[in-house]
C-alpha cells in the first residue's frame, strides 16, 4: 500500500485528516510549513518547512519522496485574508492565489510521477469559490483563488482520467478553525470524516465533481 499525503497538516482540518487516516491504518506523510505538538504526537513522517509557494521547497520534497508510491494526495493547505471592495489589496489577493491555487498545482505536478492507476487527488476548496452560490459578496481574494482552484481541479480530472487517477473538489463545510477565527457550524473532526467519506466514494466515473463534504453537489 502506498502513502497518503496531506498538506497543511499541522492544525485544523489537515490535522484531523491525518489523525483519521492514521486511525484507518494509512501510512501518512504530513506536509506543513511549521510542525505542531499535536501533529508530532501522531508519530508519522512530517515534512515541515515546506512552503507550497516556493518551487525549490517543492522540488526538494519531491526528491525526498522519490521511490514512494502515492495512493492519495489531499491538497488541504489554504489561506484566508478577509476583505471587501473598499479595502481589498492586490498583494493580499496574489498571496491567496499563490497558496490556494498555485500551491496545489505545483505540488500535484511535482508528485504526479509517484502516482499510479487507482490513485486519488482531493482538493479542499470552498463553496465561496462558486459563482452561482455567491449571495453575499466580499472576500475577493479568497473567492477568486478558490474559483481558480476549482478550475484547476476540473481540468486536472479530465487530464488524469486516461491515467485512471480520479480527482474530487471538496467543500469541508463552515468549520471552526484558526482560519475562521473559531467561527463555524462544525468541528474539524466532523469535517474530516465527511471529506474522507467523499474520497472513499470517489471513482473514475465521478471524477471532477464539486461536492460538499456531506455529499451534496455544489454549483460552479
Amino acid at each position: 500500500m502506498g502513502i497518503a499525503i496531506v498538506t497543511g497538516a499541522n492544525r485544523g482540518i489537515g490535522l484531523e485528516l491525518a489523525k483519521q487516516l492514521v486511525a484507518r491504518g494509512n501510512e501518512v506523510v504530513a506536509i506543513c510549513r511549521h510542525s505542531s505538538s499535536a501533529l508530532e504526537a501522531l508519530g508519522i513522517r512530517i515534512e515541515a518547512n515546506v512552503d507550497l509557494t516556493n518551487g525549490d521547497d517543492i522540488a526538494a520534497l519531491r526528491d525526498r519522496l522519490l521511490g514512494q508510491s502515492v495512493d492519495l494526495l489531499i491538497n488541504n493547505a489554504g489561506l484566508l485574508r478577509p476583505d471587501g471592495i473598499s479595502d481589498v489589496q492586490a498583494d493580499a489577493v496574489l498571496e491567496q492565489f499563490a497558496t490556494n491555487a498555485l500551491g496545489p498545482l505545483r505540488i500535484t505536478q511535482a508528485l504526479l510521477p509517484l502516482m499510479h492507476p487507482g490513485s486519488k487527488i482531493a482538493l479542499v476548496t470552498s463553496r465561496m469559490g462558486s459563482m452561482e452560490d455567491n449571495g453575499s459578496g466580499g472576500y475577493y481574494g479568497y473567492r477568486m483563488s478558490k474559483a481558480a482552484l476549482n478550475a484547476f481541479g476540473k481540468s486536472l480530472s479530465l487530464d488524469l482520467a486516461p491515467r485512471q487517477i480520479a480527482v474530487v473538489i471538496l467543500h469541508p463545510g463552515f468549520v471552526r478553525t484558526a482560519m475562521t477565527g473559531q467561527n463555524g457550524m462544525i468541528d474539524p473532526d466532523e469535517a474530516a470524516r465527511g471529506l474522507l467519506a467523499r474520497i472513499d466514494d470517489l471513482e473514475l466515473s465521478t471524477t471532477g465533481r464539486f461536492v460538499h463534504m456531506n455529499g451534496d453537489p455544489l454549483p460552479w
Side-chain angles (χ1 to χ4, degrees), residues 3 18 20 26 41 47 49 59 65 82 84 100 103 108 131 148 155 169 171 174 188 193 211 213 218-220:
I3 59 175
Q20 293 182 28
N26 292 92
E47 290 287 348
N49 302 309
L65 292 175
N100 297 342
T108 300
M131 307 299 174
S155 283
I169 305 158
H171 170 62
F174 187 20
R193 281 196 299 274
V211 295
M213 68 90 178
L218 292 173
W220 298 104

Side-chain angles (χ1 to χ4, degrees), residues 3 7 15 17-18 27 46 92 109 128 133 147 151-152 170:
I3 59 175
T7 70
L15 177 61
L17 286 166
E27 181 182 354
I46 300 171
Q109 186 179 46
M128 291 179 74
D133 191 61
F152 163 61
L170 294 166

Side-chain angles (χ1 to χ4, degrees), residues 70-92:
V70 177
D71 288 344
L72 172 62
L73 170 60
I74 304 180
N75 284 294
N76 165 75
L79 178 67
L80 169 63
R81 299 279 190 245
D83 57 36
I85 191 58
S86 62
D87 62 355
V88 60
Q89 299 292 323
D91 287 349

Side-chain angles (χ1 to χ4, degrees), residues 1-5 29 31 45 47 58-73 106-121 160 163 165:
M1 185 169 65
I3 59 175
I5 294 177
V29 176
I31 298 173
R45 178 174 175 177
E47 290 287 348
I58 291 177
L61 172 68
R62 177 202 59 212
D63 291 346
R64 292 194 296 273
L65 292 175
L66 287 177
Q68 298 277 2
S69 176
V70 177
D71 288 344
L72 172 62
L73 170 60
R106 284 172 178 263
I107 193 165
T108 300
Q109 186 179 46
L111 299 184
L112 267 178
L114 308 183
M115 306 187 82
H116 54 83
S119 293
K120 298 180 180 183
I121 298 172
L160 296 187
R163 296 171 59 171
I165 297 174

Side-chain angles (χ1 to χ4, degrees), residues 8 26 30 122-123 134 147 158 175 198:
N26 292 92
L123 306 179
N134 184 354
L158 296 170
V175 188
R198 303 288 74 75

Side-chain angles (χ1 to χ4, degrees), residues 9 24 30-31 98-99 103 115 122 124 133 143 161-162 166 168 183 192 198 213:
R24 288 160 47 141
I31 298 173
T99 298
M115 306 187 82
V124 180
D133 191 61
R143 289 185 187 279
V168 65
N183 296 306
R198 303 288 74 75
M213 68 90 178

